[in-house]
């Protein structure tokens, strides 16, 4: 019975697989480690998208600096996060993530403030 329920949940798309989520279409330029940044993206209500940190160099640590007020943010691995917009909500949301490392243009911790528009 339990296996049957899991198959139904997956078949109807209730469970989202972060690995299959599309990349968020992000605007904002990646900078260098040690420099704070701002990024923007849009996502539809109820949908999930991947938000990769793309700073040139080697990332040594990352995490969530500030959780979103509306949606759900999860860390998938050291360079990738997923954001899920709440169903039925339209408006804005903000969160912050950080990445630490060393690259060709600098080193240290960078905080990325992300502004999401939920359509």
């Amino acid at each position: 019975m339990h296996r049957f329920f899991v198959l139904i949940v997956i078949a109807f798309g209730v469970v989202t697989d972060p690995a299959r989520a599309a990349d968020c279409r992000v605007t904002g330029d990646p900078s260098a480690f040690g420099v704070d940044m701002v990024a923007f993206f849009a996502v539809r209500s109820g949908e999930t998208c991947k938000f990769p940190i793309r700073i040139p160099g080697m990332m040594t640590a990352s995490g969530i600096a500030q959780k979103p007020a509306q949606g759900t943010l999860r860390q998938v691995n050291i360079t990738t996060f997923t954001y899920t917009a709440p169903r039925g909500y339209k408006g804005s949301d903000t969160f912050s993530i950080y990445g630490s490392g060393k690259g060709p243009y600098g080193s240290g911790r960078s905080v990325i403030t992300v502004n999401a528009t939920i359509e």
Side-chain angles (χ1 to χ4, degrees), residues 5 7-9 17 39 44 48 50 54 56 65 71-72 74 78-79 82 86 88 92-93 95 97 103 115 117:
F5 176 72
L7 289 175
I8 289 174
V9 169
D17 181 2
R44 290 181 185 216
T48 299
K50 287 189 288 188
R54 293 189 175 117
T72 304
R74 292 196 175 117
I78 195 164
T79 61
T82 60
S92 62
D93 203 359
F95 60 88
I97 56 178
N115 298 293
T117 300

Side-chain angles (χ1 to χ4, degrees), residues 44-47 85-91 118-119:
R44 290 181 185 216
S45 178
E47 291 190 0
R87 289 193 191 282
Y89 176 78
K90 293 187 181 203
I118 301 158
E119 304 169 333

Side-chain angles (χ1 to χ4, degrees), residues 99-117:
S100 298
K102 184 176 182 180
Y105 310 112
S107 62
R109 179 178 163 139
S110 298
V111 175
I112 305 167
T113 301
V114 183
N115 298 293
T117 300

Side-chain angles (χ1 to χ4, degrees), residues 52 55 80:
I55 303 173
T80 307

Side-chain angles (χ1 to χ4, degrees), residues 7 14 19 30 38 40-42 48 66 73 76 91 102 110 116-117 119:
L7 289 175
V14 176
V38 177
F40 304 88
F41 73 89
T48 299
Q66 176 186 338
L73 182 64
V76 177
K102 184 176 182 180
S110 298
T117 300
E119 304 169 333

Side-chain angles (χ1 to χ4, degrees), residues 13-89:
V14 176
V15 174
T16 58
D17 181 2
R20 293 184 181 195
D23 281 354
C24 303
R25 285 177 264 137
V26 179
T27 57
D29 295 319
S31 188
F33 286 109
V35 178
D36 292 343
M37 300 167 245
V38 177
F40 304 88
F41 73 89
V43 64
R44 290 181 185 216
S45 178
E47 291 190 0
T48 299
C49 64
K50 287 189 288 188
F51 187 90
I53 299 177
R54 293 189 175 117
I55 303 173
M58 176 63 103
M59 182 99 51
T60 56
S62 66
I64 298 170
Q66 176 186 338
K67 293 180 180 182
Q70 303 298 326
T72 304
L73 182 64
R74 292 196 175 117
Q75 187 165 2
V76 177
N77 58 43
I78 195 164
T79 61
T80 307
F81 297 79
T82 60
Y83 176 82
T84 303
R87 289 193 191 282
Y89 176 78

